[in-house]
Amino acid sequence: MRQVINLNENWKFIKENAGLPAALPEDWQTVNLPHTWNAVDGHDGNGSYYRGTCWYAKTFDAPAQPLEGGRIYIDIPAAGQQATVYVNGQKVVYHEGGYSTFRADITDVCTEKNNLLAIECSNEYKDSVYPQSADFTFYGGLYRGVNLISVAKAHFDLDYYGGPGVMVTPKPCDGGATFEIESFVVDADENFTVLYQITDRDGKEAAYGCRPADQTKITLFVPDAANWSVDDPYLYTVTALLQRRNETYDEVIVKAGVRSFSCDPDKGFILNDVETPLRGVSRHQDQLYKGNALTREDHYKDAAIIKELGANTIRLAHYQHSQDFYDACDELGFVVWAEIPFISVFNKDPEAHENCISQLKELIIQNYNHPSICFWGISNEILIGGISDKLVENHRELNALAKELDPTRLTTIAHVSMTPVESPLHHITDIISYNHYFGWYGQKMEDNGPWLDMFHEKHPDLCLGLSEYGCEGIITYHSKDPMCKDYTEEYQALYHEHLAKVLNDRPYLWSSHVWNMFDFGCAARDEGGVAGRNNKGLVTMDRKTRKDSFYIYKAYWNKEPMVHICSKRYAQREDETIQVKVYSNQSSVALCVNGDHVGEQAPVDHICTFSVTLKEGMNIVVAKAGDVTDSASFEKVDKEPEIYTLPEFGERMEGVANWFTLSGDLDLEAPMEFPEGKYNIRYKMEELAACPEAFDIVSEAVYLATNFKITPGVGMWDMMKAMSPEAMTAMAGSTLPKGFIESLNAKLIKIDVQK
């Protein structure tokens, strides 16, 4: 029988490329798995993190196998980003891609006792491995642990792209559901059969079947089968036994769910013949000072917080996530978008495309059985670096591969905001989605609804989603008059109040995914006074604090009664009269201040706003809605703390306003000029970087327009170097004063192009 042996304890680790050890090194650090060497520097704000080659080593005894000819596999659920595995000095496998399972048969290089397992692991940039460059930290390490798998000579296949060796395809039908099952058996002769059993959630047998080991396909029927849904994620257990006469040689257990789904351009997502607008979040897999080295408990905790929000969908960005998290999604009822890290920067190297193909195969084959997954994503914001015929061709190949491997699910893509409305990428995948940050990186939050309606009207045949939207919210900063880019908790809440209504009013959107559920590590970022992180989460990176924006979605999406007083952390107020905002999903909210009834309101779009007069000192505010209550304390002070305001906010806003003031008059009505031999706004950033004078002007403009500080070769330079200032400032749109881009061009055309 199969044994899975956890090898996570007592590894030796060294944070340098020390080379293959001949024996277990005694002077290396002792660590337990899961482990990443970037648990701190991946998001500590120092502006960089260690990207290099490190080594892990451990000894193990070969597991005893009672059956003659048994095999031993090394099983690695993930290693970021490249890894080479050695057993007793012999290389057994090399793997590229930091997010998927890979294995190797190590039987022939093992001895009975004291085998030396050494793993060379690297998160260095490699030209042929995706992701190339992206807005998150590429953590290195053995961050999902390591296992040994001992199997009989005849066993379910362990070699095919890290898959489980069994594929289950449940389909609803009249009177119940069919379960199409296929298993893949290695080294079995005519004496072997495969036994299949399906049990319901109570453990009762629902169907049974038997097939010869060389013809394993079977269709079983479950009468009156229960459907898997977001409200009742009913799971069946499918067990495959490899049997020789009266002995089981191998066993694989799969959880499966019966559901049908589709997308309609006008009706959105349809689950089990019921229109079910998908409204949820995106998720990265790291936590504060753990990096991506999470336990099963950590993954389930994340899923529980998302469930509390009331979301029914999760986009698992931008790579394959842990089997533990997919399991949690199966059990809790989330509809999942799973994707590969083909993101931001397109590499024309054929080897890079082969890496995309390999990662897509691993994603689909390893996760085929999860009922929560309904969508395979083939790329994200890939047009940041521009478009080409080759890029379009590669997308067609990836889409065709996904449909070949899994014709039961839909393919999708996440477009960067600047992707043209008439892009050739629109009709490749089954459905599409856009990443829009109107109201943060550019334009205004009020532009979101009209843009979505415009696209829907122009492309009535396309199923449209909103795959990313969001803004930074840092719980230290507060304002009674929140503004875009002030990083206050109040602006983030105001933004999401608006977007929650935009989405609620547009059922034609097949999905929406907040960016992001949790703050996450991005060592290259430095904005809002919190470096090393992307702070767009509805929840802080340590999972300790739910921001106000969390609760507006809870009011919209969670059916359990709730009430929440906003701006509790804006606790010291200088104004005698303040506005107290309350979120609730109840029909009426009453407010008391210092024990006195202030008023009662029916929420409008789940929001009530009360005018409250503060007495000197502390004031206790209590909101009551039905059987639920919430309270907050506000102190009347002479002057609010300076910590409530981001110091650089006023300076940057003043800089934006003054940027286009030139010596002399600039005719804003006249067309911009682009004289030969002079720089202009259409040059790529990497071309402008060749001239320090031009680049200084452009980098200042980009900072004022987008709040990004760009330095060649540092941070997200690889994402930005192929963009032009024209494209970058266009992202800011109507947030920039009239004349900004004209002024930038006027400054650049005074500078000779460097030869």
Side-chain angles (χ1 to χ4, degrees):
M1 277 289 289
R2 177 179 300 211
Q3 300 176 65
V4 179
I5 302 161
N6 181 284
L7 292 183
N8 288 350
E9 300 294 318
N10 298 316
W11 284 76
K12 293 296 183 178
F13 168 75
I14 188 166
K15 192 177 175 180
E16 63 180 68
N17 191 0
L20 178 64
L24 187 68
E26 296 299 327
D27 56 343
W28 292 8
Q29 178 186 358
T30 300
V31 300
N32 293 327
L33 306 184
H35 177 265
T36 173
W37 58 79
N38 301 121
V40 175
D41 71 352
H43 48 255
D44 65 359
N46 285 328
S48 64
Y49 62 106
Y50 182 77
R51 296 191 68 178
T53 298
C54 300
W55 284 82
Y56 295 85
K58 180 181 177 62
T59 57
F60 68 91
D61 295 338
Q65 174 59 253
L67 296 168
E68 185 179 353
R71 311 304 294 175
I72 304 168
Y73 280 79
I74 188 74
D75 173 77
I76 301 179
Q81 298 280 325
Q82 298 86 233
T84 308
V85 181
Y86 301 86
V87 175
N88 294 327
Q90 297 192 49
K91 177 180 173 180
V92 294
V93 65
Y94 170 69
H95 183 262
E96 293 184 341
Y99 307 100
S100 50
T101 297
F102 61 100
R103 305 188 184 108
D105 185 337
I106 61 173
T107 313
D108 295 338
V109 296
C110 281
T111 59
E112 186 175 339
K113 297 288 185 182
N114 204 38
N115 295 281
L116 177 62
L117 171 61
I119 302 176
E120 177 187 14
C121 196
S122 172
N123 64 342
E124 293 175 283
Y125 173 86
K126 186 166 185 181
D127 199 47
S128 60
V129 179
Y130 283 103
Q132 299 277 293
S133 179
D135 187 19
F136 58 92
T137 296
F138 303 164
Y139 296 93
L142 298 175
Y143 65 92
R144 291 185 192 152
V146 172
N147 304 302
L148 286 180
I149 302 177
S150 173
V151 289
K153 181 181 179 182
H155 58 271
F156 292 113
D157 192 5
L158 290 165
D159 290 305
Y160 189 62
Y161 289 97
V166 177
M167 292 176 62
V168 181
T169 310
K171 296 180 179 179
C173 65
D174 290 342
T178 59
F179 284 67
E180 298 173 3
I181 310 173
E182 183 175 9
S183 57
F184 306 91
V185 179
V186 174
D187 285 331
D189 58 27
E190 67 278 3
N191 293 298
F192 285 86
T193 55
V194 179
L195 309 180
Y196 298 112
Q197 182 189 47
I198 301 175
T199 55
D200 64 17
R201 65 165 45 155
D202 297 321
K204 296 178 181 178
E205 184 175 289
Y208 196 90
C210 176
R211 293 295 299 160
D214 61 346
Q215 299 178 39
T216 65
K217 283 187 179 181
I218 194 170
T219 298
L220 299 179
F221 177 70
V222 175
D224 302 318
N227 283 339
W228 182 96
S229 68
V230 293
D231 294 324
D232 184 13
Y234 196 102
L235 293 174
Y236 288 90
T237 301
V238 179
T239 303
L241 299 177
L242 180 60
Q243 196 85 1
R244 185 181 185 276
R245 300 193 176 95
N246 282 354
E247 183 174 355
T248 298
Y249 273 52
D250 199 6
E251 178 182 35
V252 172
I253 298 173
V254 169
K255 295 291 186 179
V258 178
R259 76 280 188 273
S260 65
F261 60 89
S262 62
C263 284
D264 182 272
D266 294 315
K267 298 177 181 178
F269 185 70
I270 300 167
L271 180 64
N272 302 324
D273 299 323
V274 177
E275 294 177 26
T276 308
L278 295 180
R279 300 293 179 259
V281 298
S282 296
R283 184 241 188 191
H284 268 299
Q285 64 180 1
D286 57 343
Q287 292 189 15
L288 188 67
Y289 304 135
K290 288 186 175 182
N292 57 358
L294 304 187
T295 63
R296 183 175 177 85
E297 180 183 11
D298 291 328
H299 288 294
Y300 271 75
K301 180 180 178 181
D302 275 7
I305 295 172
I306 299 172
K307 194 68 176 179
E308 177 194 343
L309 185 74
N312 62 7
T313 181
I314 307 175
R315 180 182 174 209
L316 290 177
H318 291 296
Y319 39 74
Q320 183 171 331
H321 284 233
S322 168
Q323 289 297 315
D324 291 333
F325 198 81
Y326 294 120
D327 288 345
C329 292
D330 293 342
E331 295 170 22
L332 294 178
F334 294 113
V335 173
V336 168
W337 168 340
E339 65 190 35
I340 58 172
F342 188 24
I343 175 174
S344 305
V345 177
F346 170 56
N347 188 336
K348 297 179 182 178
D349 186 343
E351 290 188 9
H353 183 50
E354 288 302 313
N355 181 252
C356 271
I357 290 172
S358 175
Q359 293 203 51
L360 184 60
K361 287 180 177 179
E362 291 173 330
L363 176 70
I364 294 175
I365 291 165
Q366 292 173 22
N367 297 287
Y368 181 89
N369 295 319
H370 290 288
S372 57
I373 298 175
C374 293
F375 314 103
W376 301 122
I378 63 172
S379 75
N380 174 76
E381 294 193 343
I382 203 64
L383 292 191
I384 282 179
I387 195 168
S388 66
D389 291 342
K390 188 63 177 174
L391 177 63
V392 175
E393 178 188 337
N394 284 8
H395 275 77
R396 294 190 190 283
E397 290 180 11
L398 290 172
N399 187 73
L401 175 62
K403 303 303 287 186
E404 176 188 347
L405 292 171
D406 182 7
T408 72
R409 290 180 171 92
L410 299 175
T411 56
T412 188
I413 187 172
H415 289 302
V416 67
S417 186
M418 65 186 73
T419 300
V421 173
E422 303 298 338
S423 172
L425 290 179
H426 284 334
H427 291 85
I428 295 176
T429 53
D430 295 319
I431 53 180
I432 69 166
S433 211
Y434 261 82
N435 298 349
H436 279 317
Y437 291 91
F438 300 154
W440 185 247
Y441 289 130
Q443 317 219 222
K444 299 174 182 176
M445 67 175 77
E446 293 80 8
D447 295 329
N448 283 280
W451 190 97
L452 294 167
D453 293 338
M454 174 274 297
F455 190 97
H456 181 52
E457 183 178 353
K458 287 193 173 185
H459 292 287
D461 61 322
L462 287 177
C463 298
L464 175 66
L466 188 61
S467 37
E468 290 183 23
Y469 66 97
C471 69
E472 304 262 331
I474 297 172
I475 61 175
T476 307
Y477 304 137
H478 301 283
S479 174
K480 63 182 178 183
D481 299 307
M483 297 173 59
C484 180
K485 290 294 177 66
D486 66 6
Y487 292 85
T488 61
E489 188 171 12
E490 285 69 31
Y491 182 78
Q492 188 191 42
L494 189 69
Y495 171 95
H496 284 293
E497 289 168 17
H498 181 77
L499 267 294
K501 177 169 171 51
V502 165
L503 299 169
N504 192 63
D505 292 345
R506 288 166 175 81
Y508 67 79
L509 294 172
W510 70 267
S511 73
S512 65
H513 296 92
V514 176
W515 192 261
N516 197 280
M517 182 63 196
F518 306 104
D519 293 345
F520 60 90
C522 179
R525 277 185 173 257
D526 181 8
E527 56 175 313
V530 181
R533 299 171 202 170
N534 187 313
N535 300 288
K536 294 184 183 68
L538 305 180
V539 178
T540 54
M541 192 173 179
D542 59 9
R543 280 51 172 175
K544 298 294 185 182
T545 305
R546 291 153 175 76
K547 305 176 190 180
D548 283 340
S549 51
F550 174 96
Y551 292 97
I552 187 62
Y553 289 109
K554 187 172 182 179
Y556 269 92
W557 297 342
N558 194 325
K559 297 174 184 177
E560 295 180 1
M562 61 81 62
V563 65
H564 172 76
I565 298 173
C566 297
S567 296
K568 293 178 183 178
R569 286 169 282 273
Y570 189 6
Q572 294 178 297
R573 305 292 189 94
E574 61 188 20
D575 292 336
E576 183 175 333
T577 301
I578 66 172
Q579 301 301 306
V580 174
K581 187 184 295 182
V582 180
Y583 299 150
S584 182
N585 57 8
Q586 300 299 284
S587 60
S588 180
V589 176
L591 197 77
C592 291
V593 179
N594 299 321
D596 297 328
H597 180 76
V598 170
E600 188 165 349
Q601 297 180 21
V604 178
D605 299 321
H606 299 286
I607 304 169
C608 298
T609 303
F610 298 88
S611 182
V612 170
T613 299
L614 301 180
K615 68 176 185 179
E616 292 298 321
M618 299 300 297
N619 295 263
I620 305 298
V621 177
V622 178
K624 181 174 176 61
D627 294 329
V628 292
T629 60
D630 192 24
S631 68
S633 297
F634 299 101
E635 182 184 11
K636 174 69 172 64
V637 295
D638 293 333
K639 183 176 173 55
E640 293 178 3
E642 292 183 2
I643 191 65
Y644 285 174
T645 303
L646 174 67
E648 66 187 61
F649 175 67
E651 299 169 7
R652 199 175 70 82
M653 289 300 100
E654 184 178 353
V656 171
N658 295 334
W659 167 259
F660 62 94
T661 303
L662 298 172
S663 55
D665 295 327
L666 178 65
D667 184 358
L668 300 181
E669 302 301 323
M672 283 189 283
E673 298 178 349
F674 302 95
E676 183 111 14
K678 302 289 186 178
Y679 286 110
N680 60 61
I681 57 172
R682 294 174 179 172
Y683 275 77
K684 294 180 180 179
M685 298 298 291
E686 59 186 343
E687 295 170 328
L688 292 161
C691 175
E693 181 184 1
F695 192 76
D696 285 347
I697 293 170
V698 170
S699 59
E700 182 185 0
V702 170
Y703 170 66
L704 293 175
T706 68
N707 208 38
F708 275 110
K709 300 173 183 177
I710 53 174
T711 304
V714 176
M716 291 181 286
W717 173 250
D718 284 342
M719 291 174 57
M720 297 180 172
K721 66 183 180 182
M723 298 178 69
S724 68
E726 183 178 46
M728 295 184 73
T729 53
M731 293 172 64
S734 57
T735 61
L736 294 176
K738 188 176 181 181
F740 189 92
I741 191 68
E742 293 86 352
S743 171
L744 173 57
N745 193 66
K747 292 183 178 186
L748 288 175
I749 63 175
K750 295 179 181 179
I751 304 171
D752 293 331
V753 174
Q754 298 287 308
K755 302 296 184 182

